[in-house]
Each structure stands twice: as C-alpha cells, then as structure tokens.
Amino acid sequence: MDTESLVIRDVSLTYEQVPVIQNLSLALKPQELGCLLGPSGCGKSTLLRAIAGFQPLNSGEIWLDDHLLASPSHATPPESRGVGMVFQDIALFPHLSVAENIAFGLGDWPLETRQARVDELLHLIGLSGMESRYPHELSGGQQQRIALARAMAPKPKLLLLDEPFSGLDTELRGRLASEVRTILKSDGICSLLVTHDQREAFDFADRIAVIHEGHICQFDTPYQLYHEPHSPFVAHFVGPGEMVDAVVEGPRSVSSPLGVLSNDQDLAFAPGTPVNLFLRPDDLIHDDDSTYQATLVGKHFRGAHHLYEVRLDNGVVLGCFAPSHHNHAIGERIGVKLDVEHLVVFPAR
C-alpha cells in the first residue's frame, strides 16, 4: 500500500437496502487528517461505520497499514481493527472522573504506563489539573476534549470522528475543530472527520472529500476546493458564490458583465463558447474609485467587514466584501471591481 495508511478501494454500501455509497475510493497518508464533507444523507456516516466495522461491504476493500480490514468475504472485528471513534453523542461515563474516563480503554496497560498516558493526554488537551473532576463539572468544549482523549488513549492507528462538534455553538465548533487538529497532529494519529459544516472541515482537515449522492466529487486541500472547484456542486457547497454568464475570449480569458478577465492557466473551452463564471464575494471588492458602479441591495455586518449584495446593471446580484467602515446605505450606487486570480468556469447551463 506504499506510504498510505487508510485505503478505501471501490467500496459500495447500502443502508436499509438502499445504495448510499457507490464504487468509492479514498486514501489517507500516515498522520494525515482527512474529512468527509457533504449534505445529510450523502453516505458519509455510513462509510465511517464501515471503516469502524459496524457496516458490511457490498463490494470493495478497506485496508489500514497494509492489513485488510474489510471486504465482502472478510470482516476484522471492530475491537481488533486498531480504530478509535469519537461519536456525536459524547457519552462520557458520569460516575467516572476525567482521569478514569480517559483511562477506560487502558485496563490491560501497566498502572504506571496507564497513568503516564493519561497525564500526557491531559497536558495535550490543555486540561491538566482537572483529572479528579466529573463530566457534569465541565463545559461542553471540555467534555468534547475528554471524549477525544479517551479515544486517543490506546494509540489507535486511525481515529474516526462522526460529527463530534455538532452539539456545540458555531463559534465553539470552529475553535474546537482547530484545537483538535493541533492535538491530533501533536500525537501523530491519522484521522477522518465526518461533517456537513464547511468551516469545520476547513479548520480541521489537510484534505477534504466532498461527497454527493454516494460519490466523491473532489478530494483536495481546502484551498483547492475553495479556489479551484471541479464542479458547480463543489463550488456552491464549500462557500458562497454566484454564477455569471460569460463567453470565452481566448485560451485564458473570458468576457463577463464586468469586462474581460484573464486567467493564469489555459481554459478547457474554445473561444466563443458560452460558459458560467463562478464568482465568490472575495472576488468582487468595493472600491470608491472604480468607474464600474453597482446598486447596493443587501448588507450584512461581519465585524471586520461588510458582506454587501450588489446588483449589476444587467440585473445579476453578487456578493461583495467591503471594509466595515465603508457603511453605505441600501439603494446607493457604489464602485466595485473584480480581483480574480483563478477563473472558475463551467459549461453554460
């Protein structure tokens, strides 16, 4: 399996006799943090259950560190896979202390080694000195970190996380996803997160598999998914944006409602081809000195900046970022300009 840790090869799965995953392949390197990102019902949690050993395969194979975990004719028992799991339901034992919860899966370890591992993890998750507390004495974020430490304690070859932050508020989810990333990188554990939250995925993963209707649409870094999506579904799912009608001018340029735009790479369309140009709010910038005017039809204060909605003269409405001190009124005509580094172009619908 070369340098790959987790290998999923041509896997198909059903849930209650309905196909949910179809011929899916995916591989993670040792210590890599991956993510399955997609809408509810796309099959991502079913795939995670199959990796853990709770869901049989209809076809394909799952390997971990050169050992076959599953195929239609073979299934390594879940407890023998070397796979840890953090569920959406934290499920800490209320009658056990923090230290006892973390050490729960280490019963066959020597006492001194077990204590050292608990101390190591408490330091890693930033909760040293809380080993005698009980779950009800902790905040939601602290409880989630204890659940993570408990899953990490036996040093699994792979850690699976099934929407573990979904019960937390939005701000805490983003912060905790970043903290968990740092913790897992420090401990060197290959991990796979399931989520439907784009921000959470970006905060956590080295690479993200965007899943739609049982297929991987694109498996890439957060940067590539955002700036160079391979399909309209990926483009819309990983962040806000709008399609604009355009026409290919040359090998690296298109004609748009905001003028001719150039790209640093050749486009996969012949000159004269009608296309859809995908623009994100960070591609369109408010500029008081711009000669191109648009009408402000919506505004959302984001603290450091406004997210404006502006209507172009052809009727197209686009998102536009503006500094927070540029507080224009709805209905006002304002200057805008494009700042596009990558042309994201799809066949015209």
Side-chain angles (χ1 to χ4, degrees):
M1 298 299 164
D2 300 324
T3 60
E4 293 164 338
S5 182
L6 173 68
V7 177
I8 301 169
R9 183 180 297 140
D10 297 324
V11 163
S12 295
L13 299 165
T14 59
Y15 182 72
E16 295 183 348
Q17 299 184 331
V18 177
V20 291
I21 293 291
Q22 304 167 49
N23 302 115
L24 183 146
S25 296
L26 176 74
L28 291 179
K29 298 179 176 62
Q31 303 183 27
E32 184 173 22
L33 304 185
C35 176
L36 304 177
L37 174 67
S40 297
C42 72
K44 55 189 186 295
S45 290
T46 303
L47 179 59
L48 209 71
R49 288 175 54 82
I51 299 169
F54 306 136
Q55 176 81 27
L57 305 191
N58 294 81
S59 65
E61 298 175 336
I62 300 176
W63 293 74
L64 182 61
D65 291 350
D66 293 339
H67 296 287
L68 179 64
L69 296 186
S71 71
S73 60
H74 170 79
T76 302
E79 66 273 13
S80 302
R81 295 193 173 201
V83 175
M85 195 155 185
V86 180
F87 295 95
Q88 184 173 340
D89 180 3
I90 299 173
L92 294 177
F93 299 109
H95 63 290
L96 298 183
S97 68
V98 164
E100 291 168 336
N101 264 283
I102 295 174
F104 182 78
L106 306 179
D108 57 346
W109 287 35
L111 179 60
E112 187 174 331
T113 307
R114 184 165 69 241
Q115 186 60 53
R117 180 60 172 162
V118 171
D119 291 342
E120 176 189 18
L121 286 168
L122 282 169
H123 175 73
L124 198 60
I125 65 175
L127 294 178
S128 295
M130 295 190 178
E131 56 270 15
S132 299
R133 295 192 184 184
Y134 287 84
H136 72 273
E137 299 176 295
L138 305 176
S139 68
Q142 289 171 333
Q143 289 181 20
Q144 194 60 264
R145 278 183 276 172
I146 296 301
L148 175 68
R150 183 177 61 185
M152 292 169 59
K155 297 189 177 181
K157 299 174 184 176
L158 174 69
L159 184 65
L160 305 176
L161 303 102
D162 190 5
E163 303 206 44
F165 314 120
S166 60
L168 306 174
D169 64 75
T170 302
E171 196 62 36
L172 180 56
R173 285 168 66 172
R175 188 168 73 249
L176 197 56
S178 294
E179 290 177 0
V180 169
R181 172 184 170 83
T182 300
I183 291 166
L184 292 174
K185 283 293 186 182
S186 298
D187 213 41
I189 297 178
C190 180
S191 304
L192 187 61
L193 169 74
V194 159
T195 184
H196 61 271
D197 187 284
Q198 166 260 341
R199 176 183 171 184
E200 194 174 293
F202 281 12
D203 284 335
F204 176 86
D206 298 317
R207 287 191 296 165
I208 299 167
V210 179
I211 299 181
H212 182 49
E213 296 180 344
H215 297 279
I216 293 180
C217 302
Q218 188 172 347
F219 183 41
D220 228 324
T221 64
Y223 181 91
Q224 292 296 112
L225 289 175
Y226 188 84
H227 290 290
E228 298 184 22
H230 292 175
S231 69
F233 176 82
V234 173
H236 284 290
F237 196 80
V238 302
E242 297 294 336
M243 294 290 187
V244 175
D245 291 336
V247 177
V248 177
E249 283 276 316
R252 298 187 174 187
S253 62
V254 299
S255 176
S256 79
L258 287 164
V260 176
L261 305 175
S262 297
N263 195 35
D264 55 1
Q265 297 178 358
D266 288 346
L267 301 173
F269 301 93
T273 304
V275 293
N276 289 141
L277 173 66
F278 187 76
L279 296 174
R280 298 198 185 277
D282 47 317
D283 292 325
L284 188 63
I285 299 172
H286 167 47
D287 181 3
D288 287 323
D289 297 325
S290 175
T291 57
Y292 192 95
Q293 299 283 302
T295 303
L296 182 60
V297 296
K299 56 189 293 189
H300 308 276
F301 185 65
R302 295 289 188 261
H305 65 269
H306 285 289
L307 172 57
Y308 284 159
E309 295 168 10
V310 297
R311 180 182 292 117
L312 307 184
D313 290 339
N314 67 353
V316 173
V317 176
L318 297 175
C320 169
F321 282 143
S324 61
H325 56 274
H326 285 232
N327 191 23
H328 293 283
I330 299 293
E332 191 175 341
R333 296 279 286 177
I334 63 173
V336 294
K337 69 175 183 180
L338 282 172
D339 182 20
V340 180
E341 292 188 13
H342 304 285
L343 294 181
V344 179
V345 178
F346 301 108
R349 291 177 292 183

